[in-house]
Coordinates of all heavy atoms in Angstrom, one line a residue:
M10 N -8.4 -5.2 22.3 CA -8.6 -6.6 22.7 C -7.6 -7.5 22.1 O -7.0 -8.4 22.7 CB -10.0 -7.1 22.4 CG -10.4 -8.4 22.9 SD -12.0 -9.1 22.5 CE -13.0 -7.7 22.5
A11 N -7.4 -7.4 20.8 CA -6.4 -8.2 20.1 C -5.0 -8.0 20.7 O -4.3 -9.0 20.9 CB -6.3 -7.8 18.6
Q12 N -4.6 -6.8 21.0 CA -3.3 -6.5 21.6 C -3.2 -7.2 23.0 O -2.2 -7.7 23.4 CB -3.1 -5.0 21.7 CG -2.8 -4.4 20.4 CD -2.6 -2.9 20.4 OE1 -2.9 -2.2 21.4 NE2 -2.2 -2.3 19.3
L13 N -4.3 -7.1 23.8 CA -4.2 -7.8 25.1 C -4.0 -9.3 25.0 O -3.2 -9.9 25.7 CB -5.6 -7.5 25.9 CG -5.7 -6.2 26.6 CD1 -7.1 -6.0 27.1 CD2 -4.7 -6.0 27.7
V14 N -4.7 -9.9 24.0 CA -4.5 -11.3 23.8 C -3.1 -11.6 23.3 O -2.4 -12.5 23.8 CB -5.5 -11.8 22.8 CG1 -5.2 -13.3 22.3 CG2 -6.9 -11.8 23.3
L15 N -2.6 -10.8 22.4 CA -1.2 -11.0 21.8 C -0.1 -10.8 22.9 O 0.9 -11.5 22.8 CB -1.0 -10.2 20.6 CG -1.7 -10.6 19.3 CD1 -1.6 -9.5 18.3 CD2 -1.1 -11.9 18.9
K16 N -0.3 -9.9 23.8 CA 0.8 -9.6 24.7 C 1.2 -10.8 25.5 O 2.3 -10.9 26.0 CB 0.3 -8.4 25.7 CG 0.6 -7.1 25.1 CD 0.3 -6.0 26.1 CE 0.6 -4.6 25.4 NZ 0.4 -3.5 26.4
G17 N 0.3 -11.7 25.7 CA 0.6 -12.9 26.4 C 1.6 -13.9 25.7 O 2.3 -14.6 26.3
V18 N 1.6 -13.8 24.4 CA 2.4 -14.7 23.6 C 3.6 -14.0 23.0 O 4.6 -14.7 22.6 CB 1.6 -15.5 22.5 CG1 0.5 -16.3 23.1 CG2 1.1 -14.5 21.5
L19 N 3.6 -12.7 22.9 CA 4.7 -12.0 22.1 C 6.1 -12.2 22.7 O 7.0 -12.3 22.0 CB 4.3 -10.6 22.0 CG 3.1 -10.3 21.0 CD1 2.9 -8.8 20.9 CD2 3.3 -10.9 19.7
P20 N 6.3 -12.2 24.0 CA 7.6 -12.3 24.6 C 8.4 -13.6 24.1 O 9.6 -13.6 24.0 CB 7.4 -12.4 26.1 CG 6.2 -11.6 26.3 CD 5.3 -12.0 25.1
K21 N 7.6 -14.6 23.8 CA 8.3 -15.9 23.3 C 8.2 -16.1 21.8 O 8.7 -17.0 21.3 CB 7.7 -17.1 24.0 CG 8.0 -17.1 25.5 CD 7.4 -18.3 26.2 CE 7.8 -18.2 27.7 NZ 7.2 -19.4 28.4
A22 N 7.4 -15.3 21.1 CA 7.2 -15.4 19.7 C 8.4 -15.1 18.9 O 9.1 -14.2 19.2 CB 6.0 -14.5 19.3
R23 N 8.7 -15.9 17.9 CA 9.8 -15.7 17.0 C 9.4 -15.3 15.6 O 10.2 -14.5 14.9 CB 10.7 -16.9 17.0 CG 11.3 -17.2 18.3 CD 12.3 -16.2 18.7 NE 12.9 -16.3 20.0 CZ 12.4 -15.6 21.1 NH1 11.5 -14.7 21.0 NH2 13.0 -15.9 22.3
I24 N 8.3 -15.8 15.1 CA 7.8 -15.5 13.7 C 6.4 -14.9 13.9 O 5.5 -15.5 14.4 CB 7.8 -16.7 12.8 CG1 9.2 -17.4 12.8 CG2 7.3 -16.3 11.4 CD1 10.3 -16.5 12.2
L25 N 6.3 -13.6 13.4 CA 5.0 -12.9 13.5 C 4.6 -12.4 12.2 O 5.4 -12.1 11.3 CB 5.2 -11.8 14.5 CG 5.6 -12.3 15.9 CD1 7.0 -11.9 16.1 CD2 4.7 -11.7 16.9
V26 N 3.3 -12.2 12.0 CA 2.7 -11.6 10.8 C 1.7 -10.5 11.1 O 0.8 -10.7 11.9 CB 2.0 -12.7 9.9 CG1 1.3 -12.1 8.8 CG2 3.0 -13.8 9.5
F38 N 3.4 -2.3 17.0 CA 3.0 -3.0 18.3 C 3.8 -4.3 18.4 O 4.3 -4.6 19.4 CB 1.5 -3.2 18.3 CG 1.1 -4.1 19.4 CD1 1.0 -3.6 20.7 CD2 0.8 -5.4 19.1 CE1 0.6 -4.5 21.7 CE2 0.4 -6.3 20.1 CZ 0.3 -5.8 21.5
L39 N 3.8 -5.1 17.3 CA 4.5 -6.4 17.3 C 6.0 -6.2 17.6 O 6.5 -6.9 18.4 CB 4.3 -7.1 16.0 CG 2.9 -7.6 15.7 CD1 2.8 -8.2 14.3 CD2 2.3 -8.5 16.7
A40 N 6.6 -5.2 16.9 CA 8.0 -5.0 17.1 C 8.3 -4.5 18.5 O 9.4 -4.9 19.1 CB 8.5 -3.9 16.1
E41 N 7.5 -3.7 19.1 CA 7.8 -3.1 20.4 C 7.6 -4.2 21.5 O 8.1 -4.0 22.6 CB 6.9 -1.9 20.7 CG 7.2 -0.7 19.9 CD 6.3 0.5 20.1 OE1 5.1 0.2 20.5 OE2 6.7 1.6 19.9
N42 N 6.8 -5.2 21.2 CA 6.5 -6.2 22.3 C 7.1 -7.6 22.1 O 6.7 -8.5 22.7 CB 5.0 -6.3 22.4 CG 4.4 -5.0 23.0 OD1 4.4 -4.9 24.2 ND2 3.9 -4.1 22.2
T43 N 8.1 -7.6 21.2 CA 8.8 -8.9 21.0 C 10.3 -8.7 21.2 O 10.8 -7.6 21.3 CB 8.6 -9.4 19.5 OG1 8.9 -8.4 18.6 CG2 7.2 -9.9 19.3
T44 N 11.0 -9.8 21.3 CA 12.5 -9.7 21.5 C 13.2 -9.3 20.1 O 12.6 -9.4 19.1 CB 13.0 -11.0 21.9 OG1 12.9 -12.0 20.9 CG2 12.3 -11.5 23.2
A47 N 13.0 -11.8 17.2 CA 11.7 -12.0 16.5 C 11.8 -11.5 15.1 O 12.5 -10.4 14.8 CB 10.6 -11.4 17.2
K48 N 11.2 -12.2 14.1 CA 11.1 -11.7 12.7 C 9.6 -11.4 12.4 O 8.8 -12.3 12.7 CB 11.6 -12.8 11.8 CG 11.7 -12.3 10.4 CD 12.4 -13.4 9.5 CE 12.4 -12.9 8.1 NZ 13.1 -13.9 7.2
I49 N 9.4 -10.3 11.9 CA 8.0 -9.8 11.6 C 7.8 -9.7 10.1 O 8.7 -9.0 9.4 CB 7.7 -8.5 12.3 CG1 7.9 -8.7 13.8 CG2 6.3 -8.0 12.0 CD1 8.0 -7.4 14.6
R72 N 14.5 -6.3 11.5 CA 13.8 -7.5 11.7 C 12.4 -7.6 11.2 O 11.6 -8.5 11.5 CB 13.8 -7.9 13.2 CG 13.3 -6.8 14.1 CD 13.6 -7.2 15.5 NE 13.0 -6.3 16.5 CZ 12.0 -6.7 17.2 NH1 11.4 -7.8 17.1 NH2 11.5 -5.8 18.1
P90 N 7.2 -21.8 10.9 CA 5.9 -21.8 11.6 C 5.6 -20.4 12.3 O 6.5 -19.8 12.8 CB 6.1 -22.8 12.7 CG 7.3 -23.7 12.2 CD 8.1 -22.8 11.4
I91 N 4.4 -20.0 12.1 CA 4.0 -18.6 12.6 C 3.6 -18.7 14.1 O 2.7 -19.5 14.4 CB 2.9 -18.0 11.7 CG1 3.5 -17.9 10.3 CG2 2.4 -16.7 12.3 CD1 2.4 -17.6 9.3
D92 N 4.1 -17.9 14.9 CA 3.8 -17.9 16.3 C 2.6 -17.0 16.6 O 1.8 -17.3 17.6 CB 5.0 -17.5 17.2 CG 6.1 -18.4 17.1 OD1 5.9 -19.6 17.3 OD2 7.3 -17.9 16.8
A93 N 2.4 -15.9 15.9 CA 1.3 -15.0 16.2 C 1.1 -14.2 14.9 O 2.0 -13.9 14.1 CB 1.6 -14.1 17.3
A94 N -0.2 -13.8 14.7 CA -0.5 -12.9 13.6 C -1.6 -12.0 14.0 O -2.4 -12.3 14.9 CB -1.0 -13.8 12.4
I95 N -1.7 -10.9 13.3 CA -2.7 -9.9 13.6 C -3.3 -9.5 12.2 O -2.6 -9.3 11.2 CB -2.2 -8.7 14.4 CG1 -3.4 -7.8 14.8 CG2 -1.2 -7.9 13.7 CD1 -3.1 -6.9 16.0
V122 N -1.9 -19.2 8.2 CA -1.4 -18.8 9.6 C -1.7 -20.0 10.5 O -0.8 -20.4 11.3 CB -2.1 -17.5 10.1 CG1 -1.8 -17.3 11.6 CG2 -1.6 -16.3 9.3

Side-chain angles (χ1 to χ4, degrees):
M10 186 182 325
Q12 290 178 348
L13 281 172
V14 171
L15 284 171
K16 277 188 176 181
V18 300
L19 292 181
K21 293 182 181 178
R23 294 294 173 258
I24 304 298
L25 303 106
V26 172
F38 169 78
L39 295 176
E41 289 177 336
N42 289 280
T43 52
T44 66
K48 184 173 183 180
I49 303 165
R72 55 193 187 102
I91 298 167
D92 296 311
I95 190 163
V122 167

